[in-house]
Amino acid sequence: MKRRNFFGKLSMTVSGFLGVNSLEAQSQNLNSNPKRLTNSPLSIATWNCPEAILISGKLMEAGISALDAAVKGVAFEEANEKNTTVGIGASPDQSGCVTLDACVMDDKGNCGAVMAVENILHVAKLARKVMEDTPHVNLAAAGAEEFAYSKGFKKTKLLTPASKKRWEAWSQKSNSSPKINVENHDTIGMLCLDDYGNLSGSCTTSGLAYKMKGRVGDSPIIGSGLFVDNEVGAATATGLGEAVIKTVGSFLIVELMRNGCSPQKACEEAIQRILSKHSGKTDFQVGFIAINISGEKGAYSIHKGFSYTYFKSGRAINTSSASFY
Ligand code: ASP
């Protein structure tokens, strides 16, 4: 696609996701604050998601907050049928039902999450509603779905013909426990640092493909799949959720940064912690990304094959993460 067409399409997408009036209003609102950082805005996300990163980066360039940018950015991947582990077109559980998990966390330490939600596409936005419009942090399953309808979310069929076909092929040849290997994951975790020095993040997934019904991984668990502390930095995870939960991976990385580690060193240390708890059994993948409040970034994974995308000078750059193996 020609560059101009791409950006034309992108700006329509951005306006579509946000609404032009709302974008202007929020921009005016934030522009009344002084710019605090020179190396901002920064957005970074797990895997290869250039459109999501351009949306979040350009929103922040327009003066939109890190929280809005993080929720709007991942919404692109939630609506992308080709992404088989987020939103529409994602792999279902063993029973053929697509259930989604997501969470968000803002610069003030507010957070919200939804788990095992059926029929709702934009679950990161729904997690934000839980954060802003309820006294709770977590809403699960039917309760989260009912809450979504009460907030005007539309019922969406998340199982597409393609994802149904893949599930049918899987169920004919296998009833074994699903594994997260090096390929089988794609959770989008996004961290944003806006021009006013504020951090926020979002994390959205369908979890492990062909998981047990009711299984919830790390992605919607605050501290595991995502953690943000505006004084220090933020981290998010992808890969085998059970391993991330057991070490409270994202919280661990933020605490390591609080104690002086760079984002890169903190991600490496968190992967080491997972490896040391699994005594050499490493047939699964975990990847972390992190940023600190100065805008430095880091990424590390157990195995090769993990990449991340970040926003720099108006462009989305995808790059391979360093890995233990
Ligand atoms: N972390 C996700 C989970 O365990 C899976 C993934 O990253 O694909 O649910």
Side-chain angles (χ1 to χ4, degrees), residues 78-135:
E78 290 170 338
N80 176 8
E81 283 194 30
K82 291 196 184 118
N83 186 329
T84 60
T85 55
V86 174
I88 192 163
S91 299
D93 63 16
Q94 291 179 356
S95 74
C97 179
V98 179
T99 59
L100 302 180
D101 307 322
C103 71
V104 297
M105 191 159 186
D106 75 7
D107 54 293
K108 296 175 190 66
N110 299 313
C111 48
V114 292
M115 301 162 192
V117 193
E118 294 177 38
N119 303 314
I120 303 297
L121 177 59
H122 290 304
V123 278
K125 184 176 174 187
L126 182 59
R128 181 180 181 171
K129 288 275 178 215
V130 173
M131 174 176 92
E132 291 178 340
D133 296 358
T134 81

Side-chain angles (χ1 to χ4, degrees), residues 41-43 52-62 69 192 311:
L42 172 66
S43 65
I53 281 294
L54 284 174
I55 288 167
S56 57
K58 287 186 178 292
L59 283 170
M60 287 190 287
E61 276 187 343
C192 292
F311 185 77

Side-chain angles (χ1 to χ4, degrees), residues 3 6-7 10 43-45 47-58 190 308-319:
R3 196 179 152 81
F6 174 76
F7 281 106
L10 177 71
S43 65
I44 178 169
W47 304 109
N48 187 12
C49 52
E51 296 90 348
I53 281 294
L54 284 174
I55 288 167
S56 57
K58 287 186 178 292
M190 181 177 283
Y308 62 96
T309 310
Y310 63 98
F311 185 77
K312 191 170 181 204
S313 312
R315 291 172 52 222
I317 299 170
N318 178 251
T319 188

Side-chain angles (χ1 to χ4, degrees), residues 236-247:
T236 187
T238 181
L240 184 63
E242 284 73 5
V244 177
I245 291 171
K246 286 175 194 169
T247 51

Side-chain angles (χ1 to χ4, degrees), residues 47 85 101 180 184-188 203 205-209 211 215-220 237-242 244:
W47 304 109
T85 55
D101 307 322
I180 288 230
N184 182 20
H185 47 78
D186 230 4
T187 295
I188 300 295
C203 189
T205 193
S206 58
L208 184 51
K211 60 197 176 186
R215 181 266 187 190
V216 172
D218 61 314
S219 306
T238 181
L240 184 63
E242 284 73 5
V244 177

